[in-house]
Amino acid sequence: MFILVAVPFADLRPMVKGGDGRVPSPDWTSDDPGAAFVRGFGKVSARNDKSLGLLGERFFADFNKAVRLRRILTIREKGWPNPLSADLRFRRLYFDGRMAGRFEFGFLVDDEEELKLKNDLGALAVDPRRVAADALASPIGVIDPGAGVEQPTTIQGCGRLLGEAYLAATTLQGDLNRFPPAEAYGSTVALGPPLVHVRLSNGVTAEVGRDHAAPDGSDGSLFFTSSVGGALRNNVLVRVSPTGSQAERGRERAVRVLFSHLHALMFAQGHFVKVQGSLDAGGRQPLKEAVDDLIGRLRGFTPTAPEHTSDGAFKDAMTTWGEAYSGRTDEVVQRLSELAGQLAKPTPIQTGLGWLNDLFQLVVKTGVTAAVEQATKAGG
């Protein structure tokens, strides 16, 4: 089992003249950032070849030093003789260099532990709603890179603390008094509600409630649901897969990465509109540039040192999406703008799939589905 909590954020400072004191390194728009780090967060690494990594983006930064997990994540259902332990495998920060990024917490249940419990029980069923709720409730400590003080919170509630820590880490030391993180948070930088990806592997089945629904065009092994007790509806994307926890297939991985990044872009766009007060023709330009950049990256995407058997299929899926939307930036921008408007309103989120289903369509539709399926059959 693999659980990924993606917390989207908007960083509008690249659009501001002078950048409000934003540090120039790492250069998130570069193909090769070289040796770099984010102060108080962690080192920058080139995109890797692991299925749990951030394939599809140029590079990421760890934030191991900025956030500490205070308790291991355990997963238990009624009738189990013992719980499953989900190790925190990574804490990674990605930013597109334009306006959108995300913090990702990746948890992994060991395949052997999972298979042993399945053999003991004869079958293994998991409620992804509770898994997501437990992951969001994980107690963490966010460390101020300046003061070095650890402040307790949860992944669900880390927004302001992590946002201010990010601002402190990415603002020049000499400009911190001019642009204090406590004042900049909520304007130039803001974090959004977490989105949880739960991947059930090795034939583990999903227990589902009445609020689960498969998006239009999905193959039935993917559906949306809601975390137990969550403030938002439909904040969990569930994938049921027959392969091991670290053997994510190419199409699965492509959907996850594209979905996460477009979700972050959508949140950033919505925050930009909130800060600006309205979205005129000139105000849409930053999103257009971000989408142009995304399409260009994916069209020319090549994994570094591929090792996994699904890397070829993943590459084909990502480049196919980039090719499909090449020259259609305005269409993607329009859809993301509409979805950002939906996300800002409570009604669609509370009453139906709303923006989640529409975002899924943007990821897999418009001629991409057939090409991705063909690539998946060829390479996994």
Side-chain angles (χ1 to χ4, degrees):
M1 190 186 314
F2 173 48
I3 305 110
L4 182 76
V5 183
V7 185
F9 73 88
D11 185 349
L12 308 182
R13 290 175 294 172
M15 299 180 234
V16 179
K17 186 177 181 180
D20 281 5
R22 196 178 197 284
V23 296
S25 177
D27 177 6
W28 292 94
T29 62
S30 171
D31 282 319
D32 182 6
F37 63 93
V38 176
R39 186 176 71 246
F41 272 48
K43 68 176 182 177
V44 168
S45 301
R47 62 177 182 238
N48 65 7
D49 53 8
K50 302 299 182 185
S51 61
L52 301 184
L54 295 179
L55 270 165
E57 285 101 11
R58 289 186 172 98
F59 57 90
F60 60 86
D62 293 326
F63 60 95
N64 300 352
K65 295 181 180 179
V67 172
R68 293 175 182 164
L69 186 68
R70 294 185 153 209
R71 185 180 69 230
I72 193 168
L73 174 61
T74 57
I75 299 164
R76 181 190 290 275
E77 300 287 350
K78 290 182 180 180
W80 287 10
N82 55 271
L84 293 172
S85 299
D87 296 327
L88 181 61
R89 287 298 181 95
F90 60 76
R91 284 149 282 180
R92 290 176 178 167
L93 156 67
Y94 172 75
F95 182 51
D96 66 3
R98 299 283 189 178
M99 64 188 300
R102 62 188 185 272
F103 294 94
E104 295 198 337
F105 298 81
F107 297 89
L108 186 71
V109 176
D110 183 77
D111 281 341
E112 291 187 6
E113 184 182 351
E114 195 172 80
L115 289 170
K116 182 179 184 303
L117 182 59
K118 182 181 176 182
N119 290 334
D120 290 343
L121 296 172
L124 190 59
V126 173
D127 186 343
R129 301 170 303 163
R130 282 199 290 269
V131 172
D134 290 343
L136 290 171
S138 294
I140 60 174
V142 177
I143 302 168
D144 185 318
V149 178
E150 182 178 334
Q151 301 185 68
T153 183
T154 62
I155 293 179
Q156 174 78 61
C158 72
R160 174 170 280 275
L161 288 176
L162 187 54
E164 290 186 11
Y166 169 75
L167 277 159
T170 57
T171 302
L172 293 167
Q173 295 275 26
D175 284 331
L176 283 171
N177 289 332
R178 294 176 57 208
F179 307 106
E183 295 180 13
Y185 183 79
S187 56
T188 54
V189 169
L191 273 67
L195 184 69
V196 185
H197 299 252
V198 177
R199 182 175 181 272
L200 302 179
S201 50
N202 294 312
V204 175
T205 58
E207 292 182 357
V208 296
R210 290 186 299 176
D211 67 342
H212 87 286
D216 298 337
S218 74
D219 58 8
S221 65
L222 180 145
F223 62 89
F224 301 121
T225 188
S226 310
S227 61
V228 173
L232 295 178
R233 302 289 289 169
N234 305 312
N235 63 333
V236 183
L237 177 64
V238 182
R239 169 72 74 175
V240 181
S241 180
T243 57
S245 57
Q246 296 191 67
E248 190 176 29
R249 294 178 297 184
R251 184 175 186 271
E252 296 176 3
R253 207 182 336 162
V255 170
R256 173 172 62 83
V257 171
L258 281 169
F259 199 94
S260 296
H261 190 69
L262 289 173
H263 176 243
L265 261 176
M266 181 181 66
F267 170 75
Q269 173 69 1
H271 182 69
F272 178 77
V273 173
K274 179 181 177 181
V275 171
Q276 292 291 104
S278 63
L279 184 63
D280 53 23
R284 188 168 292 189
Q285 187 60 28
L287 180 59
K288 185 177 185 302
E289 292 173 355
V291 172
D292 268 337
D293 194 36
L294 171 64
I295 291 172
R297 290 184 187 193
L298 295 184
R299 287 183 66 192
F301 169 63
T302 302
T304 55
E307 293 181 355
H308 197 276
T309 55
S310 69
D311 282 350
F314 176 76
K315 172 186 178 295
D316 290 343
M318 299 296 271
T319 54
T320 297
W321 192 92
E323 290 288 350
Y325 286 102
S326 179
R328 300 170 58 192
T329 299
D330 289 340
E331 178 185 339
V332 179
V333 168
Q334 178 64 29
R335 293 297 299 126
L336 287 175
S337 298
E338 293 169 356
L339 293 172
Q342 288 185 33
L343 186 61
K345 299 176 182 178
T347 303
I349 300 176
Q350 295 295 334
T351 59
L353 287 176
W355 61 270
L356 273 172
N357 185 65
D358 291 342
L359 185 60
F360 181 82
Q361 305 312 312
L362 186 61
V363 170
V364 301
K365 288 295 185 180
T366 321
V368 178
T369 300
V372 170
E373 287 177 350
Q374 182 177 355
T376 303
K377 291 176 182 177

